[in-house]
Amino acid sequence: MNNVKENQTDLESLRNDIVIKQKKGLPFICASVVIWLLILIVVALDLEQEKENIFVFCCSCPLLPISWLIGKVLKVDIFDKSNPLGNVGFLFTCNQFLYLLIVMWVFRAVPDKMVMVYAMVFGAHLLPYSWLYKSLSYRSFAIAIPLISLIVGCIFPAFSVAVTMLIIEVIFVISLLVEIRRFMKK
């Protein structure tokens, strides 16, 4: 029984460490603001649907370098290997690649709804991070983003989804900043 308690304490220590060192993944969420701004620009260009969707996919490509640059500013090493839970976070990220298969199907089957589905996948993939980063913000946004994207995307065009996502991501960043500040005061 003592081993179980020690292991739980060790796990909590690792989680606390990754929350502090990675600042709850803030560099990636800040980068997602930039990504959704790029997507907003693409959908505002009034391109042919297929080209628009291809460019929307391309907007995600700079996520890692933008996250790295933001991490440098925030003093976060996004590639830090000192905490084994970093590998768990990477696994959570890889999960999104599987979800992107759904987005690729929508690209052909219902092309005018691709941005909506892309937003839903983006939001849904955040849920495991709520455990990793001990974050109510991640849990809340992981549920809210797919629901809001579905509602907005069924009623309005991709432009509205992109605007909504940009606003949500800015609010998400602010929410994480508040959480980080509170966590550091503990």
Side-chain angles (χ1 to χ4, degrees):
M1 188 66 161
N2 282 341
N3 275 345
V4 171
K5 285 185 181 180
E6 286 175 21
N7 288 341
Q8 287 175 341
T9 302
D10 290 344
L11 181 59
E12 285 306 303
S13 296
L14 288 171
R15 287 174 68 201
N16 289 337
D17 179 66
I18 203 162
V19 164
I20 293 165
K21 284 184 178 171
Q22 295 300 315
K23 293 189 178 171
K24 295 193 176 206
L26 187 60
F28 288 95
I29 304 305
C30 289
S32 70
V33 171
V34 176
I35 299 304
W36 280 102
L37 177 61
L38 293 173
I39 291 171
L40 176 60
I41 291 167
V42 167
V43 298
L45 293 175
D46 195 34
L47 300 169
E48 173 190 319
Q49 188 68 62
E50 188 170 327
K51 285 181 185 176
E52 177 183 296
N53 287 346
I54 289 171
F55 286 133
V56 166
F57 268 124
C58 292
C59 288
S60 300
C61 294
L63 177 67
L64 199 55
I66 293 169
S67 298
W68 179 77
L69 286 170
I70 293 170
K72 288 291 182 193
V73 171
L74 297 174
K75 296 178 176 50
V76 173
D77 179 4
I78 65 168
F79 301 111
D80 181 38
K81 300 283 187 225
S82 65
N83 187 322
L85 290 181
N87 292 332
V88 175
F90 179 72
L91 184 63
F92 293 164
T93 299
C94 289
N95 200 23
Q96 185 177 16
F97 294 122
L98 296 173
Y99 297 149
L100 286 177
L101 296 172
I102 299 165
V103 180
M104 289 177 186
W105 176 80
V106 172
F107 178 94
R108 283 282 179 218
V110 195
D112 63 316
K113 296 301 179 190
M114 195 197 85
V115 173
M116 174 189 78
V117 174
Y118 192 72
M120 292 169 69
V121 164
F122 170 79
H125 105 280
L126 298 171
L127 189 58
Y129 294 101
S130 68
W131 175 84
L132 182 65
Y133 294 134
K134 299 179 166 190
S135 174
L136 180 60
S137 293
Y138 273 95
R139 187 174 309 124
S140 302
F141 283 91
I143 294 166
I145 290 171
L147 292 174
I148 293 168
S149 298
L150 178 65
I151 293 166
V152 172
C154 284
I155 299 170
F156 301 104
F159 180 84
S160 299
V161 175
V163 168
T164 302
M165 282 301 297
L166 183 59
I167 293 166
I168 288 172
E169 289 304 298
V170 170
I171 295 167
F172 191 8
V173 166
I174 294 166
S175 179
L176 283 178
L177 287 169
V178 170
E179 272 192 10
I180 292 165
R181 201 168 285 141
R182 285 183 185 153
F183 189 86
M184 298 302 226
K185 287 183 181 180
K186 287 183 183 180

